[in-house]
């Protein structure tokens, strides 16, 4: 496997309209997820053309093989760091837990004011990464992937939306907010390219179609 670190692969603004609900969706977002800006659609199309097309293999997968939510700084782990990054007016306690704030989930357009209503989505799911090449990585490489704050790989979203997505790729799941789909597929391709992960034929077809409309 090529060393993905050697490749060098390298905000959504929303209007503050309406009152903030204690939980649940609003008519307009009051906080914007700060996913690192993905590559352009043109670059994503170029990257996609260079990805290996291969059949996926789930043999041996275990989520624990991807150590995640490691300490990032002080008492803050990866989840807490993303919650602070993606929220608005986030207040944390001495343990770095978010005690208040507002979070906009770009997948479904909902805004939340309780951190427990948010999951941190691995945009390219851990199981998907395993299926497409991460099974050959070292544990430290899988840990880097699972906690990557530099690439557009981690984002705070509505918990049940993340759970519904599960380990699906863009051939079978996309954000319900259609205006976010271009961002989503650009990010997906960038992450796969950076980590030298393959795509299956249905996944590549779906990505090609979405990127054609970006």
């Amino acid at each position: 496997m090529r060393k993905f670190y050697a490749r060098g692969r390298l905000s959504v603004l929303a209007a503050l309209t309406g009152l903030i609900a204690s939980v649940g969706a609003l008519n307009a977002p009051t906080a914007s997820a700060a996913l690192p800006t993905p590559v352009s659609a043109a670059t994503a199309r170029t990257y996609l053309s260079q990805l290996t097309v291969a059949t996926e293999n789930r043999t041996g997968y275990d989520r624990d093989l991807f150590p995640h939510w490691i300490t990032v700084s002080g008492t803050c782990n990866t989840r807490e760091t993303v919650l602070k990054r993606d929220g608005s007016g986030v207040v944390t306690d001495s343990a770095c837990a978010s005690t208040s704030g507002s979070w906009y989930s770009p997948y479904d357009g909902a805004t939340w004011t309780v951190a427990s209503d948010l999951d941190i989505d691995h945009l390219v799911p851990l199981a998907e990464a395993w299926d497409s090449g991460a099974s050959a990585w070292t544990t430290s490489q899988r840990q880097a992937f699972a906690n990557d704050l530099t690439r557009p790989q981690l984002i705070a979203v509505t918990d049940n939306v993340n759970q519904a997505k599960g380990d699906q790729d863009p051939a079978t799941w996309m954000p319900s907010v259609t205006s976010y789909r271009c961002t989503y597929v650009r990010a997906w391709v960038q992450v796969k390219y950076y980590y030298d992960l393959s795509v299956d034929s249905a996944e590549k077809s779906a990505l090609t179609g979405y990127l054609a409309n970006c």
Side-chain angles (χ1 to χ4, degrees):
M1 184 184 70
R2 286 174 289 184
K3 301 294 186 181
F4 57 71
Y5 295 113
R7 298 184 77 156
R9 319 291 202 213
L10 300 114
S11 134
V12 180
L13 297 178
L16 294 173
T17 57
L19 297 175
I20 298 177
S22 59
V23 291
L26 297 184
N27 289 330
T30 58
S32 297
L35 183 78
T37 303
V39 296
S40 69
T43 299
R45 286 191 286 269
T46 298
Y47 284 1
L48 179 59
S49 71
Q50 297 176 33
L51 294 181
T52 299
V53 178
T55 301
E56 296 183 348
N57 185 350
R58 185 65 56 90
T59 303
Y61 171 71
D62 188 319
R63 186 176 176 83
D64 291 340
L65 293 170
F66 291 79
H68 52 285
W69 307 164
I70 62 172
T71 299
V72 173
S73 177
T75 60
C76 300
N77 66 22
T78 313
R79 171 184 164 81
E80 293 156 348
T81 300
V82 175
L83 284 172
K84 289 201 295 182
R85 183 198 71 186
D86 289 4
S88 176
V90 177
V91 176
T92 58
D93 62 19
S94 60
C96 203
S98 298
T99 57
S100 63
S102 179
W103 292 268
Y104 172 67
S105 170
Y107 287 1
D108 58 329
T111 298
W112 304 93
T113 57
V114 179
S116 60
D117 288 320
L118 284 299
D119 278 354
I120 306 305
D121 180 40
H122 289 95
L123 193 137
V124 174
L126 303 182
E128 170 68 23
W130 178 272
D131 295 351
S132 51
S135 60
W137 295 352
T138 65
T139 299
S140 62
Q141 287 174 318
R142 288 192 288 266
Q143 176 175 295
F145 177 84
N147 297 276
D148 190 348
L149 295 168
T150 303
R151 263 60 55 182
Q153 164 67 350
L154 297 174
I155 186 170
V157 297
T158 302
D159 54 1
N160 61 0
V161 171
N162 182 53
Q163 291 153 24
K165 172 188 171 180
D167 58 10
Q168 297 180 81
D169 68 33
T172 55
W173 189 93
M174 285 291 285
S176 61
V177 176
T178 56
S179 61
Y180 196 71
R181 291 179 176 179
C182 182
T183 300
Y184 186 82
V185 294
R186 285 158 47 211
W188 183 283
V189 171
Q190 180 181 348
V191 170
K192 282 237 163 170
Y193 181 79
Y194 179 84
Y195 285 101
D196 198 21
L197 296 171
S198 64
V199 290
D200 63 37
S201 57
E203 177 187 355
K204 182 171 183 177
S205 178
L207 289 167
T208 299
Y210 286 115
L211 284 171
N213 294 316
C214 287

